[in-house]
Amino acid sequence: MESTCAEIIELAEKVMDGGSITEGEAKRLIRTKDEDTMLLLAMADKIRQKFCGNAVDFCAIINARSGHCQENCKFCAQSGWYQTGAKVYRLLPEEEVLAAARKAKEAGAVRFSLVTSGRNQDNPNEFEEILDLVRRIRKEVGIEVCCSLGLITDEQARQLKEAGVTRIHCNIETAPSYFPEICTTHTFEDKDVIISAAQKAGIRVCSGGIIGLGESLDQRVEMAFTLKKMHIDSIPLNILNPVKGTPFYTNRRLPPLEVLRTFAMFRFVLPKALIRTAGGREVNLRSLQAYALTGGLNGIMVGGYLTTAGRDPQEDIRMTEDLGRSFTTPQL
């Protein structure tokens, strides 16, 4: 059963008055009819305006260590379980990473994330290099640093905090009930351990996932409420861009309006969070990318992704300016 126009407005007003919607209400919102979707997006954006203001947060990532990952995530080009043609290399040279951080800042990013393939950080020398990179990026580039490093320990989280990391990224990927369908080499509980380690170290956590993995609409709602229970306030929402060679290569592409309804539902559930559109937006939303920002979202991942290209960041800057939105600045 979908939400009516009257219920969409009523639920938005409830959220803006400080209330919360239920899972049942969220399940109806995500099933809003195509002809009522623009109303849903407008009300989600009113919630964004009320709690998050006008600024759009740009971030960028670098694939700092690529390929041959031991995990079997069915969507991932870097998994060693599949033949995808993804590049394989150890940790990039520091100067190459610093150059990428400068380029990201020039493109408007306030945060630069070091992403490494693999299960964990079990090479002490390489982890020291990562810590040094964090310090140099903050000092020499003047941009916030985020890290996505797999199964980090409590001690590694503490060291990252001391080095100046402002956020740890660890996507829960999907709803807990669907997680066993996308990966069997680690569990949802393993994700929870990383997130808890970062939070205990005093680092903010960036965690979201990917839609289009074969999950149901109800499981997207489950994912949103799971992130709420985990007190996550920075949420990247990716849309599957199927990679040849992975088990999910034949997954159906999601219709743009379905994607936008999902984004809007997340804003209703998490009214104060930084919610960004990330990988897969170019090929799935196409000409409707601006509707993500007018449908409740307040962040964009710019530039390329781990193994796929994005669009020219200047187009995202122009889109943001055309919408009359401002930009966040690094908090150093």
Side-chain angles (χ1 to χ4, degrees), residues 123-134:
N123 182 328
N125 292 332
E126 197 166 84
F127 186 67
E128 283 298 326
E129 288 183 57
I130 291 170
L131 294 174
D132 187 53
L133 269 171
V134 172

Side-chain angles (χ1 to χ4, degrees), residues 82-143:
Y82 318 123
Q83 299 298 317
T84 65
K87 293 180 180 179
V88 177
Y89 51 81
R90 300 302 295 172
L91 195 66
L92 291 172
E94 286 196 6
E95 295 306 322
E96 186 173 340
V97 176
L98 284 163
R102 293 186 185 98
K103 184 177 179 182
K105 186 176 182 181
E106 290 169 4
V110 299
R111 196 171 305 98
F112 183 69
S113 183
L114 304 174
V115 184
T116 60
S117 70
R119 181 178 177 83
N120 53 27
Q121 302 300 320
D122 57 359
N123 182 328
N125 292 332
E126 197 166 84
F127 186 67
E128 283 298 326
E129 288 183 57
I130 291 170
L131 294 174
D132 187 53
L133 269 171
V134 172
R135 297 184 192 101
R136 289 192 65 189
I137 292 169
R138 283 179 61 89
K139 181 179 179 181
E140 298 177 31
V141 182
I143 192 171

Side-chain angles (χ1 to χ4, degrees), residues 11 14-15 19-30 172 174-176 188 207 217-232 235 237 262 264-271:
L11 292 178
K14 180 166 78 167
V15 173
S20 300
I21 67 169
T22 66
E23 290 194 41
E25 290 166 338
K27 289 174 182 178
R28 292 197 295 276
L29 287 174
I30 202 172
I172 63 171
T174 189
F188 182 86
S207 181
L217 294 178
D218 287 355
Q219 284 169 325
R220 291 180 203 164
V221 171
E222 180 189 344
M223 178 169 72
F225 277 88
T226 299
L227 292 167
K228 182 176 182 178
K229 290 171 189 170
M230 297 173 85
H231 306 291
I232 304 299
I235 301 168
L237 294 177
T262 300
M265 178 275 294
F266 268 81
R267 175 56 67 198
F268 273 78
V269 175
L270 295 135

Side-chain angles (χ1 to χ4, degrees), residues 135-265:
R135 297 184 192 101
R136 289 192 65 189
I137 292 169
R138 283 179 61 89
K139 181 179 179 181
E140 298 177 31
V141 182
I143 192 171
E144 290 182 51
V145 185
C146 172
C147 287
S148 183
L149 306 174
L151 300 175
I152 59 171
T153 65
D154 288 355
E155 175 59 20
Q156 287 172 332
R158 185 191 64 77
Q159 291 177 282
L160 289 164
K161 168 72 173 176
E162 288 182 355
V165 166
T166 55
R167 291 187 198 178
I168 289 290
H169 171 261
C170 176
N171 278 345
I172 63 171
E173 308 300 3
T174 189
S177 67
Y178 192 65
F179 194 88
E181 301 300 319
I182 69 165
C183 180
T184 59
T185 51
H186 64 269
T187 65
F188 182 86
E189 287 69 29
D190 290 328
K191 299 277 191 179
D192 195 25
V193 168
I194 304 170
I195 290 169
S196 296
Q199 290 173 332
K200 282 190 290 185
I203 305 175
R204 292 178 69 185
V205 173
C206 177
S207 181
I210 308 171
I211 62 173
L213 300 177
E215 76 287 344
S216 68
L217 294 178
D218 287 355
Q219 284 169 325
R220 291 180 203 164
V221 171
E222 180 189 344
M223 178 169 72
F225 277 88
T226 299
L227 292 167
K228 182 176 182 178
K229 290 171 189 170
M230 297 173 85
H231 306 291
I232 304 299
D233 64 359
S234 176
I235 301 168
L237 294 177
N238 301 274
I239 315 150
L240 182 67
N241 186 2
V243 175
K244 190 173 183 179
T246 63
F248 285 166
Y249 178 59
T250 57
N251 281 27
R252 75 172 182 96
R253 288 200 182 276
L254 301 181
L257 292 183
E258 181 182 328
V259 172
L260 293 169
R261 285 191 290 270
T262 300
F263 288 178
M265 178 275 294

